[in-house]
Amino acid sequence: MRREEPAPVQVAAPIRWWRLRPWSRNHLMRPSDRLEATIVLLTAAVVLLLIPVAGAFGTATHTRLEHQTHTLSAGVHHVPAVLLEDTYPAPDTPEYSIRPVGTQNTARARWTTPHGERTAAVPTDTPAKAGQTITISVDADGNLTGPIPDSRENTVLAVTAACGLWALTASAVLLIAALTHRLFHRNRLRRWAHEWKQFDRPPR
């Protein structure tokens, strides 16, 4: 009498996470799990899409700053001024705040404007003596002007603005995603606790 061989046992194929598609009807994922995975993918996509948006914002900011610099430069005139005293290190007061970055020497000077003579503290690049003539920048009314940002400073400001916009918006998106994940995690723990109670209940 021939002995029958046992039927082969079906072995489940290994689960490869990179082949899971949350938008498909995967029997290994609950509807809430598929929704959570979809939210994670959408969050990553939104964060990546914010990069070109921030780049466009930085470009627009740089263009606006360059236009402002060009406008300020067009209204600035260079006139001679006579120093009334020897230069000295500029104190940290509002009267001496109009000076380029790195300029430490200051002295009171007099220059001629269409409305008469003006006297004020002006910055100097190097130490100078009273009576020397220097060149200063004034506006159309003869008022002393402050330093005008150059292209490098405008680029730094534009890049900073773009990075700041991306960081703020990406942080907001990630915060919403984290709160959503926490909500799904609490619901999952609650569901598991309910299932364990059903499993521990003795059969009738």
Side-chain angles (χ1 to χ4, degrees):
M1 183 175 181
R2 186 176 180 181
R3 187 177 180 180
E4 296 182 358
E5 297 181 357
V9 180
Q10 296 292 335
V11 179
I15 299 175
R16 295 178 173 83
W17 61 269
W18 58 85
R19 292 185 179 180
L20 295 178
R21 296 177 177 85
W23 54 84
S24 64
R25 296 184 177 274
N26 196 316
H27 67 283
L28 297 175
M29 302 180 68
R30 295 176 179 268
S32 59
D33 295 336
R34 287 199 297 268
L35 179 60
E36 183 179 3
T38 303
I39 292 176
V40 172
L41 293 178
L42 289 177
T43 301
V46 170
V47 171
L48 292 178
L49 289 176
L50 286 175
I51 296 178
V53 174
F57 177 77
T59 302
T61 302
H62 184 268
T63 302
R64 178 173 56 83
L65 292 176
E66 287 291 325
H67 179 71
Q68 291 179 356
T69 299
H70 178 73
T71 303
L72 292 175
S73 300
V76 171
H77 305 281
H78 300 286
V79 296
V82 179
L83 295 179
L84 303 178
E85 58 186 356
D86 298 343
T87 57
Y88 54 90
D92 191 11
T93 58
E95 184 181 3
Y96 299 93
S97 60
I98 303 179
R99 63 177 185 273
V101 178
T103 303
Q104 301 295 333
N105 299 299
T106 302
R108 302 190 69 82
R110 181 186 297 113
W111 65 94
T112 303
T113 68
H115 307 287
E117 292 186 345
R118 296 287 181 86
T119 301
V122 298
T124 60
D125 297 332
T126 57
K129 298 293 184 179
Q132 292 186 3
T133 301
I134 61 174
T135 302
I136 60 174
S137 300
V138 297
D139 57 15
D141 296 330
N143 299 318
L144 188 66
T145 60
I148 299 176
D150 55 9
S151 180
R152 179 176 176 273
E153 294 177 353
N154 292 336
T155 302
V156 172
L157 289 176
V159 172
T160 303
C163 294
L165 176 65
W166 180 83
L168 289 177
T169 52
S171 298
V173 172
L174 292 176
L175 179 60
I176 295 174
L179 294 177
T180 305
H181 173 73
R182 182 176 179 84
L183 179 61
F184 277 107
H185 182 65
R186 293 180 61 182
N187 292 337
R188 188 182 299 111
L189 293 179
R190 190 181 300 111
R191 186 178 67 245
W192 287 352
H194 177 72
E195 292 177 356
W196 273 112
K197 288 181 180 180
Q198 296 293 332
F199 179 76
D200 292 339
R201 181 178 301 176
R204 295 180 180 180

